Amino acid sequence: MKKNLLMCFLSILILATHAYAQEVTVTGQVTSAEDGLPLPGVSVKIKGSNVFDLTNQNGMYSIKAGQESVLIFNYIGSLPEERKVGSLRVINVQLKADSKVLNEVVVTAFGVKQEVRGLGFSTQSVKAKEIVDSKQPNLVNALQGKVAGVQITNSSGSAGASSNIMIRGGSSLSGNNQPLFVVDGIPVDNTTPLSQGGLGAGTAPASNRAIDINPDDIESITILKGPAAAALYGIRAASGAIVVTTKKGSGGSARVNYQNTFSLDNVNRLPTLQDKYKQGDQGVYNTTASDSWGPAFAPGEQIYDNLGNFFSTAFAQNHDISVSGSSEQTRYFTSASLLDQGSIVDNSDFKRKSFRLNADTKIGEKLTVGGSANYVRTDRSYVPQGSANGVMGALYWPRNEDMKNYLNPNGTQRVFNVADNDNPYWTIQNKPIINNINRVIAIGNIDYNPYSFLNISYRLGTDYYSENFKSITMPGTLESTAVRGAIAQTSGDNQITTSTIIVTGKKTIAKDFKLSLALGQNLESASNRNTTSSAVRFIDPTFPSINNTVAADRTVSERLYRRRIFGLFGDFTADWKGMAYINLRARNDWSSTLPVTDNSFFYPSVSGALIITDILREWGLKPNDNTFSYGKIRAAYSEVGKDAPAHVTTTSLASVTNTFTINPRGFITNANNPFGNPTLVPEFTKAFEIGTDLRFLKNRIGIDVTYYNSKSSNQILATRVPPSSGAFLTYLNGGSIKNEGVEFVFNAQAITNPNFKWSVDLNFAKNTSIVKGLPGTLDRIELSDAWVSANAAQGAAFLNGSLFGINGNVWKRNSGGQLLLANNGYPQVQTALTNIGDRNPDFTTGITNTFTYKKLSFAFMVDVRVGGKVYNATENSLVRSGLSTKTLDRGTKVFDGVIESTGVKNTIAVPLNQNYYQTIYANHGYDFVEDGGWYRLRYATLNYKMPAKLLEKIKVKGLDFTVTGRNLLLITNYSGVDPEVSGSGAGVGGSGSFGFDNLGIPATRGVDFGLRLTL
């Protein structure tokens, strides 16, 4: 008996050893049959066992299996595939879309995933590859031209410059119109300071804080466009939401990914300057003149290209390394990245160091615990712009003088006269601006499933960053307020902490009806503290420090901001056979920024969707999917509330006197802050949208169309008050905005041959934002933060006109349109500003083509904007300096008009001299309003993947090489540098400052070289 047992044991051992000996490592790549792109997150499982692997972001997998094993490949929305191992060591698989399922999943509220087919509102997703292809360090810029209804404007070509983003127009007359940013289920800060250290936004546009997010860490981005889509996020998502999902662990055993990019950038375009007239005043050469109103250049006389020579080639490099892996219970992803971005202006750069760790693990069968931590350090050095004393003062420099010759023999600044502007070369050396950020985004989450029908999830997250800003002006400047030097510095702490619990129950009734109810509570607490100190007149002229000044020349102030929002919400969904869906959502918020009597407000939404192809199939009216593969119609109605800015319900106090006080003792009204209004109530936006999603020819062609309209009423807006009130501004309720538009998304798999594929993605959007009402007798809301060009124009919202208008100076005319001239025959500037243009484009379009031939792929995107005006304040400055080509006519002219005092037709010939151009012509706003439309090649990228057989020999799992060109082609009627401008950056609320070209650092075009390596 013992002998038999021994023989049996030995036989089993031999068989096990033989089986182990036959176990091999199988690798490969899983791609989409439709477009050939890699599919991350595909489950690769050995049939009949619990052994599995998940593909990484390149679609690569590695698994140990026996030769008799069968691998099963599963992916959401695709048909499963099976492959027998046999003698194969590399198994590449293409998965086909399941037209009957089409259950694409997107992340909507608080990290909750939902099937797109069941949504009654419009969303659009951007995948990781599309973000990487754009090669943009700023996450916001990576979305340019990719999403219908999303308008993005970069503020300048400076490294680290801010970008403004709006979805479906604007809903606020003076407040924030940018969407909420959400990372892995928690709101994060994307604010842009309007001013820092006493410097206005137009002088030193700050960075928007979404620039801190490393694009290489992102798995996907979902854009929630309307209030219905963002309803559960509450008032912070009144303008939509950008939902970012970062990469999670996958791929079984640990994998290392390394990628880099090296970039070169140059100025894209520069304005044309006149080269006929040189330095002087009133036609006479003058060596102390700073403008070009002198005589004509003599033949052969040296003409300097001061503007073109000022800019250099910018170099940037980006390195990213990540390690990811997973098991049946745990998955993890960790990354480290370094971005070092130079600028086309010396002594300007942007650096970002980022470290991220994502992990989650299953504890038993019912509990999952996870979390993430992201540390970011950003350092930005830049220089002033937006005025003649900034680096774009090069637009004023006479061309008979070499601007590079900016120092005297004794080392002081060489100047034309003491009332002049600083030389730009002196500025970049002696007026540094430095901004440093230390940021931590930490999230912890628990997911518990006590029963099959019940889920409880809790997420706690915080976004904290400290900021240190410093601006220095060294002695020797020509700025009258800082002749002996000046310094301003701000230190601050910013934090948003969010706690959310959601209880979700699901139940199936009578087999065909599925019900889901989620109840949740959300608490958000935000705080901000800034301390600003400044000083002038350095004791030691070589030492820029606040301590290097006397006490009487120093000032210090502190600003505190706190806000708390408590919300309760519910989300109910019912669907019949996965063909008909109805969704009801509601939320009630309590906000600390509103008076106690009105700080609670409720808003609901309802949406529905019908999968018409499934319904037709259910009724036997649709036999196959060959032609009409999928059809869905959807509709949604929603409301969303919005609270006031913090601390505007009461009047703040100050301990210093000002020009508005009559009592110089004790605490007095702070004239620089709004006058308090304790009667404020919430504003509301009501929105409706209807749309359809259609797929044809086995899903090779897709069309998505959405129509929407919304009305934002009872606006909380900042408006001017009489100085006798003790303040400049106050907040009040009143006014409404109507937004209406259409969005169209088209995609096609034009060619799907095994070796060659061609896909096309197109989006189109048209939006109008009209002001339907304003409080009292107001006919416009002006934005003082968007002033440009000697206060000749500003952003403004006009009653019964565009939210994005241009308020500018014009010449006086009578009711018939004739010029009303002064007695001397010159035009007269009208005292009141008027509407001179609409910055909102007629429509926008983005077209992306992707070609794949075996291992080679080529993709490019064309970005189109038709219409939309730009106020060319840069050209206005050139006119004032005498360098504009508009000033070449320096003869005489008889203006066609009538003398205002007599009504007689004008016959007086007047000289077009320096006085005319600087004081009359430069204040004629219409001549500086131009068409801001464009056709641009946003990017073109070429990628080559090394063959798997070659990689096996060098034991590498993946190796890609990439070359990308950015902004290689721009076709526009705009005479300036680039119509994609935002003069004061993304921090300006209301109608913003986009569409104002105001002496900003020019836009760039560049090329990137990079590789991606997987080990």
Side-chain angles (χ1 to χ4, degrees):
M1 182 66 181
K2 292 181 178 179
K3 183 177 181 181
N4 291 337
L5 288 173
L6 179 61
M7 292 298 295
C8 182
F9 174 76
L10 290 174
S11 298
I12 293 172
L13 180 62
I14 291 170
L15 288 172
T17 304
H18 178 72
Y20 178 79
Q22 296 302 311
E23 192 175 67
V24 296
T25 298
V26 180
T27 61
Q29 185 181 42
V30 183
T31 57
S32 167
E34 278 65 41
D35 55 19
L37 296 176
L39 294 176
V42 177
S43 170
V44 184
K45 186 176 181 180
I46 298 177
K47 191 173 184 178
S49 76
N50 292 323
V51 179
F52 78 101
D53 190 17
L54 294 173
T55 59
N56 65 8
Q57 56 263 37
N58 294 319
M60 306 297 295
Y61 73 92
S62 176
I63 192 169
K64 290 184 178 181
Q67 293 183 350
E68 299 301 317
S69 298
V70 174
L71 301 183
I72 303 175
F73 297 82
N74 273 302
Y75 188 65
I76 293 174
S78 299
L79 294 170
E81 290 281 345
E82 294 188 3
R83 294 286 191 275
K84 186 175 180 179
V85 174
S87 61
L88 299 175
R89 300 297 178 268
V90 177
I91 300 178
N92 296 322
V93 175
Q94 286 192 330
L95 296 183
K96 299 178 181 179
D98 186 351
S99 61
K100 294 183 179 180
V101 180
L102 283 170
N103 56 346
E104 179 189 356
V105 175
V106 295
V107 177
T108 54
F110 302 113
V112 176
K113 294 182 179 179
Q114 291 183 274
E115 293 183 3
V116 173
R117 64 185 283 124
L119 298 179
F121 45 80
S122 174
T123 66
Q124 205 168 333
S125 295
V126 180
K127 304 299 183 187
K129 183 179 184 302
E130 298 175 81
I131 298 169
V132 172
D133 281 351
S134 68
K135 300 298 180 185
Q136 293 287 352
N138 192 332
L139 172 62
V140 172
N141 289 340
L143 301 176
Q144 286 173 318
K146 298 183 183 297
V147 185
V150 174
Q151 184 177 337
I152 295 167
T153 309
N154 197 20
S155 60
S156 81
S158 174
S162 64
S163 291
N164 181 78
I165 177 171
M166 291 190 299
I167 302 176
R168 293 182 176 177
S171 61
S172 178
L173 286 165
S174 60
N176 182 23
N177 278 317
Q178 299 199 62
L180 173 69
F181 273 70
V182 181
V183 176
D184 291 337
I186 72 158
V188 298
D189 193 337
N190 181 42
T191 57
T192 305
L194 190 56
S195 62
Q196 290 180 299
L199 295 180
T203 303
S207 302
N208 63 298
R209 291 278 50 95
I211 201 172
D212 299 334
I213 301 173
N214 177 21
D216 292 312
D217 285 343
I218 296 174
E219 183 65 42
S220 66
I221 297 176
T222 301
I223 292 84
L224 306 180
K225 298 180 181 180
L232 294 187
Y233 282 119
I235 55 182
R236 299 256 334 269
S239 299
I242 307 295
V243 181
V244 177
T245 302
T246 61
K247 294 174 182 176
K248 305 297 188 294
S250 62
S253 59
R255 298 190 179 189
V256 179
N257 284 280
Y258 167 74
Q259 59 184 337
N260 62 38
T261 303
F262 298 93
S263 308
L264 296 173
D265 282 80
N266 286 291
V267 170
N268 194 4
R269 302 190 342 168
L270 289 173
T272 302
L273 309 184
Q274 66 88 4
D275 56 5
K276 183 178 180 181
Y277 298 102
K278 61 182 178 180
Q279 183 182 18
D281 289 309
Q282 307 299 335
V284 178
Y285 178 66
N286 183 356
T287 58
T288 65
S290 57
D291 294 328
S292 299
W293 295 104
F297 279 96
E301 190 173 355
Q302 177 73 54
I303 300 175
Y304 294 96
D305 183 12
N306 290 317
L307 184 61
N309 294 335
F310 182 68
F311 300 104
S312 58
T313 298
F315 173 75
Q317 57 179 321
N318 186 30
H319 302 269
D320 185 89
I321 186 169
S322 64
V323 180
S324 64
S326 65
S327 65
E328 291 187 48
Q329 287 76 33
T330 302
R331 56 179 181 168
Y332 62 90
F333 173 89
T334 183
S335 70
S337 71
L338 170 65
L339 169 68
D340 188 346
Q341 182 185 15
S343 181
I344 56 175
V345 175
D346 290 345
N347 294 337
S348 297
D349 56 58
F350 177 78
K351 297 179 181 179
R352 181 182 64 217
K353 304 179 185 72
S354 175
F355 303 90
R356 171 176 286 277
L357 173 63
N358 288 353
D360 58 63
T361 185
K362 292 185 68 175
I363 302 174
E365 294 296 322
K366 299 181 178 181
L367 181 65
T368 300
V369 178
S372 66
N374 184 199
Y375 168 74
V376 186
R377 165 76 184 210
T378 60
D379 299 277
R380 185 183 178 204
S381 300
Y382 54 117
V383 288
Q385 61 179 51
S387 72
N389 264 308
V391 294
M392 294 308 291
L395 291 166
Y396 288 79
W397 215 260
R399 301 190 64 181
N400 58 288
E401 283 283 342
D402 185 359
M403 195 170 70
K404 290 182 180 179
N405 183 19
Y406 70 97
L407 291 178
N408 292 314
N410 63 358
T412 59
Q413 181 180 186
R414 177 176 172 264
V415 299
F416 297 130
N417 61 72
V418 293
D420 207 348
N421 302 308
D422 288 326
N423 183 298
Y425 286 101
W426 191 90
T427 292
I428 60 177
Q429 299 292 335
N430 294 280
K431 294 183 180 179
I433 303 173
I434 302 168
N435 197 39
N436 303 319
I437 301 286
N438 284 286
R439 187 171 187 177
V440 175
I441 302 175
I443 306 169
N445 57 273
I446 299 173
D447 194 80
Y448 180 52
N449 296 278
Y451 305 103
S452 60
F453 63 87
L454 186 65
N455 172 265
I456 303 172
S457 66
Y458 177 72
R459 179 175 279 104
L460 176 65
T462 190
D463 175 16
Y464 168 83
Y465 65 91
S466 63
E467 181 172 17
N468 290 288
F469 171 91
K470 182 180 291 187
S471 170
I472 297 171
T473 301
M474 293 299 291
T477 179
L478 299 182
E479 294 185 46
S480 59
T481 58
V483 173
R484 289 175 52 188
I487 185 172
Q489 54 193 40
T490 300
S491 62
D493 298 290
N494 305 265
Q495 186 165 18
I496 303 173
T497 300
T498 309
S499 168
T500 306
I501 184 169
I502 305 175
V503 179
T504 304
K506 297 182 179 181
K507 182 70 175 178
T508 300
I509 301 176
K511 295 184 179 180
D512 295 334
F513 291 92
K514 294 181 180 179
L515 307 179
S516 172
L517 176 63
L519 299 175
Q521 179 268 324
N522 172 240
L523 175 64
E524 180 182 306
S525 179
S527 64
N528 171 278
R529 179 199 59 82
N530 282 307
T531 301
T532 299
S533 53
S534 60
V536 294
R537 290 189 283 272
F538 298 148
I539 299 170
D540 179 347
T542 65
F543 180 43
S545 170
I546 282 183
N547 292 334
N548 185 32
T549 61
V550 298
D553 290 331
R554 305 174 195 166
T555 61
V556 62
S557 64
E558 185 177 36
R559 177 182 178 274
L560 298 175
Y561 164 100
R562 291 178 182 173
R563 175 183 183 182
R564 180 169 293 178
I565 303 169
F566 179 87
L568 296 175
F569 57 86
D571 184 2
F572 173 76
T573 301
D575 81 78
W576 175 69
K577 291 188 175 181
M579 305 178 191
Y581 298 82
I582 185 73
N583 175 256
L584 302 174
R585 292 179 170 183
R587 176 164 174 141
N588 197 95
D589 281 324
W590 290 262
S591 171
S592 66
T593 69
L594 291 167
V596 175
T597 54
D598 292 295
N599 70 353
S600 172
F601 46 102
F602 172 82
Y603 43 95
S605 73
V606 57
S607 62
L610 292 175
I611 314 301
I612 54 180
T613 43
D614 286 7
I615 292 175
L616 292 174
R617 192 181 296 112
E618 177 76 10
W619 292 344
L621 300 177
K622 186 176 184 300
N624 60 64
D625 297 327
N626 292 338
T627 303
F628 185 22
S629 310
Y630 175 80
K632 167 187 169 181
I633 56 175
R634 61 179 185 266
Y637 171 81
S638 58
E639 297 181 14
V640 63
K642 200 171 185 180
D643 62 351
H647 315 304
V648 299
T649 57
T650 58
T651 302
S652 60
L653 301 177
S655 58
V656 294
T657 50
N658 54 60
T659 57
F660 297 99
T661 50
I662 58 173
N663 182 1
R665 297 182 299 277
F667 287 96
I668 54 181
T669 301
N670 186 346
N672 295 318
N673 286 350
F675 195 84
N677 184 353
T679 64
L680 291 177
V681 296
E683 63 181 62
F684 279 93
T685 296
K686 298 180 180 180
F688 169 77
E689 70 172 70
I690 186 170
T692 184
D693 182 1
L694 306 173
R695 318 278 177 90
F696 302 94
L697 302 178
K698 295 184 178 180
N699 304 312
R700 288 181 59 181
I701 296 177
I703 297 173
D704 191 297
V705 182
T706 303
Y707 165 80
Y708 65 88
N709 67 62
S710 65
K711 187 174 183 180
S712 302
S713 303
N714 215 27
Q715 291 272 307
I716 300 174
L717 60 95
T719 186
R720 290 187 177 277
V721 293
S724 57
S725 67
F728 290 109
L729 300 170
T730 191
Y731 281 86
L732 49 80
N733 286 106
S736 62
I737 301 170
K738 180 182 179 181
N739 280 281
E740 185 176 20
V742 62
E743 297 164 353
F744 175 82
V745 179
F746 171 83
N747 54 74
Q749 309 298 323
I751 300 176
T752 58
N753 291 336
N755 290 330
F756 180 72
K757 298 177 177 62
W758 173 28
S759 65
V760 181
D761 295 281
L762 178 148
N763 66 76
F764 167 93
K766 177 179 177 60
N767 175 83
T768 57
S769 298
I770 304 297
V771 180
K772 303 300 290 185
L774 289 175
T777 60
L778 292 176
D779 67 346
R780 72 195 71 182
I781 296 295
E782 301 171 332
L783 289 180
S784 57
D785 294 317
W787 275 114
V788 295
S789 186
N791 293 345
Q794 66 176 155
F798 291 89
L799 181 63
N800 296 319
S802 175
L803 173 66
F804 306 107
I806 302 174
N807 196 32
N809 284 325
V810 295
W811 287 344
K812 293 179 69 174
R813 296 178 184 269
N814 60 23
S815 58
Q818 292 178 301
L819 286 174
L820 294 176
L821 305 174
N823 291 337
N824 60 6
Y826 279 113
Q828 303 176 93
V829 179
Q830 184 174 289
T831 55
L833 278 67
T834 190
N835 187 354
I836 59 174
D838 182 3
R839 293 171 287 143
N840 197 43
D842 297 334
F843 66 85
T844 58
T845 298
I847 307 169
T848 303
N849 284 270
T850 304
F851 302 90
T852 304
Y853 176 70
K854 295 184 178 180
K855 298 296 182 181
L856 188 68
S857 67
F858 175 68
F860 67 92
M861 188 183 76
V862 177
D863 189 7
V864 179
R865 164 176 150 151
V866 174
K869 301 300 183 181
V870 173
Y871 185 85
N872 194 343
T874 298
E875 184 69 26
N876 190 288
S877 296
L878 284 172
V879 167
R880 296 175 191 274
S881 72
L883 284 176
S884 170
T885 55
K886 293 178 181 287
T887 67
L888 284 173
D889 183 1
R890 301 188 183 185
T892 60
K893 180 177 181 178
V894 177
F895 284 92
D896 185 14
V898 297
I899 303 298
E900 183 179 22
S901 62
T902 63
V904 176
K905 183 175 176 60
N906 179 48
T907 59
I908 304 172
V910 295
L912 302 181
N913 53 21
Q914 179 179 354
N915 179 68
Y916 160 72
Y917 280 111
Q918 288 185 332
T919 64
I920 300 175
Y921 182 76
N923 287 320
H924 184 201
Y926 287 118
D927 266 18
F928 300 97
V929 176
E930 302 183 37
D931 177 18
W934 68 63
Y935 297 85
R936 75 171 74 233
L937 182 60
R938 182 68 71 177
Y939 70 81
T941 182
L942 182 67
N943 179 271
Y944 178 70
K945 297 179 180 296
M946 296 292 290
K949 290 183 180 180
L950 179 61
L951 296 179
E952 282 184 2
K953 297 179 181 179
I954 58 177
K955 300 186 183 302
V956 171
K957 294 178 181 177
L959 180 59
D960 300 0
F961 297 94
T962 304
V963 178
T964 301
R966 290 171 284 102
N967 288 329
L968 296 180
L969 179 65
L970 173 62
I971 301 173
T972 179
N973 292 325
Y974 183 63
S975 67
V977 175
D978 193 323
E980 184 184 358
V981 287
S982 181
S984 296
V988 181
S991 63
S993 68
F994 77 91
F996 286 100
D997 184 350
N998 187 33
L999 297 174
I1001 293 175
T1004 63
R1005 61 180 172 183
V1007 61
D1008 311 295
F1009 304 91
L1011 65 82
R1012 178 191 292 268
L1013 174 67
T1014 303
L1015 301 176

